[in-house]
Amino acid sequence: MDRDQRSRQQKSRGGSFSHPAPKRSLSSRMGLQKQPTQARGNAARRPGPAPNPQGRPSPGVAPRRAQPQLNPQKAGYTPGAPRRQRRVTQAELLRRRNRRRALGILGVLAVLALGAIISVNLLFKVTAFRVETFDRTTPADTGIYTEDEIVAALSIEQGTNLFGFSTTEKTQQLQSQFPYLDNVQVDVQLPGTVVIKVQPATEHFACMYSGGWVVLSDTLKILRSDISQPTGLTVLTCKLPADFAPTPGQFVVPVSYNSLLEGETATAEAAQATATEVLMQILDELETEGMGDGVTVIDISDLSNLKFTYQDRIEVLLGNSNRLDYKIRLASVAILDPDKGLSASDKGTLDVSYQQTDGEIKGYFASDEPDPTPTPEPADSDGEDTEQNDDSASSGTEE
């Protein structure tokens, strides 16, 4: 064996070039060095490890658990002996999973909100205006106003953000600015149209208050005020609030007064309809029975004594609001039926408010014209003369 081979063998045995193998004596190299007796005995008695070619632990010997390696760069690291890791429970794993899921949902919502904000501010712009009726027909009936006036009153320019204004506020603005529009609704339609739905108002009622008269629409919207009574309108008699001050564009809310329930506290079970609801019901029933055009006065000042006047000649007493449909139907038959009803010249009071014990309602008509005085029968002249002659004769005989 040459020198180079020996040096390579020594290096492979030592495992490093920096740690040379220890020098051995010549006797040890030749195998002539003897070991002590005690060492040889102990070596003979000590059994060597049994070979285990498969790498499995020997039976009866507990395998050593590998100690976890701690990362010095990890938070919470303290130098010293390695600590035993805490066991993670199933509940903690579930909490971690729910936390990750919640964070994921929040992230998705944040992205959607950001996208919505960007799209609303950049994409949806006002490009057109459309005025139509509530049944979506065009051109719309705008009454005494024009479509250009209504669109200009919105104060919305083209290019404005479609969601940059409140449709509710714009609706209230148009209702107060245009009193002769009975109903107004401002809406938006994607991608960039502002829709204005209108319904024109018509003068229907004339209501008297402390300062004069106000003209109302079908929905009791104040159209205008006047000192004298307007002609050609139905007179509405109702109780108004004490602080009533007419303002065009506002709505009148009559006070619901019931003389029969005065002083009693209304409960949910015995709640009565308001004066506005009763008026709308009367108007609907009159239109159904074909009497709407002939009514000249409607009195709802007392909900226990409702009444209306037909053609300024027949006053119809309805009583309370119970069975209004039947009462108005009975009144229409008594007034409009040419065979069984009243004549076109009759004037008086038709009472359909009386309800009998069996629930039947009957109508009674009282005429305003007094009953004609009966004409006396003409006396017989011949008979009178004969009676006088007989009397004179008898008187002469007595004398």
Side-chain angles (χ1 to χ4, degrees), residues 118-169:
I118 294 175
S119 61
V120 166
N121 292 330
L122 298 181
L123 299 180
F124 302 107
K125 302 292 184 180
V126 176
T127 58
F129 298 91
R130 186 173 72 250
V131 181
E132 63 183 17
T133 57
F134 279 85
D135 55 359
R136 297 183 178 181
T137 58
T138 55
D141 183 8
T142 56
I144 63 175
Y145 310 109
T146 63
E147 294 187 4
D148 295 337
E149 291 177 348
I150 297 173
V151 172
L154 284 176
S155 301
I156 301 175
E157 299 180 357
Q158 290 191 358
T160 308
N161 191 319
L162 191 63
F163 300 98
F165 55 89
S166 173
T167 56
T168 303
E169 294 179 358

Side-chain angles (χ1 to χ4, degrees), residues 10-11 13-14 19-23:
Q10 290 175 359
K11 291 178 182 178
R13 290 177 181 176
H19 300 284
K23 295 182 179 181

Side-chain angles (χ1 to χ4, degrees), residues 61-99:
V61 179
R64 296 182 61 184
R65 180 178 299 176
Q67 295 294 335
Q69 299 293 331
L70 296 179
N71 188 0
Q73 297 180 355
K74 203 170 185 181
Y77 171 76
T78 55
R83 294 178 298 178
R84 185 177 181 182
Q85 289 186 349
R86 183 175 61 87
R87 183 181 179 185
V88 180
T89 61
Q90 188 69 20
E92 188 172 356
L93 290 176
L94 184 60
R95 285 195 298 269
R96 291 179 182 177
R97 188 182 303 112
N98 293 337
R99 191 180 301 115

Side-chain angles (χ1 to χ4, degrees), residues 185-342:
Q185 182 178 347
V186 180
D187 238 336
V188 294
Q189 182 177 351
L190 297 179
T193 305
V194 178
V195 181
I196 308 169
K197 299 179 180 180
V198 297
Q199 179 181 347
T202 56
E203 297 182 352
H204 191 176
F205 299 107
C207 181
M208 186 175 65
Y209 72 106
S210 59
W213 292 80
V214 290
V215 177
L216 308 177
S217 66
D218 296 337
T219 58
L220 302 186
K221 185 178 183 180
I222 301 176
L223 304 181
R224 59 185 177 91
S225 59
D226 201 345
I227 299 177
S228 59
Q229 178 182 355
T231 59
L233 302 178
T234 302
V235 177
L236 177 63
T237 305
C238 61
K239 292 183 68 66
L240 297 175
D243 56 347
F244 175 75
T247 302
Q250 302 297 322
F251 289 87
V252 172
V253 181
V255 177
S256 300
Y257 172 75
N258 194 329
S259 59
L260 296 180
L261 300 178
E262 188 177 5
E264 298 184 6
T265 303
T267 60
E269 293 78 7
Q272 299 293 322
T274 62
T276 304
E277 294 173 347
V278 171
L279 175 62
M280 295 305 163
Q281 185 179 359
I282 292 176
L283 292 177
D284 293 340
E285 296 298 335
L286 290 174
E287 289 295 333
T288 302
E289 301 300 331
M291 301 178 64
D293 296 336
V295 175
T296 54
V297 179
I298 297 179
D299 189 352
I300 58 170
S301 56
D302 187 357
L303 297 182
S304 63
N305 188 21
L306 303 171
K307 50 189 174 182
F308 68 89
T309 304
Y310 185 77
Q311 293 182 351
D312 286 332
R313 61 186 181 88
I314 298 178
E315 184 181 27
V316 181
L317 305 181
L318 299 175
N320 55 26
S321 59
N322 295 334
R323 303 181 65 183
L324 273 177
D325 54 346
Y326 183 79
K327 294 176 182 178
I328 294 178
R329 189 183 310 118
L330 182 61
S332 67
V333 172
I335 296 175
L336 301 180
D337 194 335
D339 299 330
K340 301 179 181 179
L342 303 173

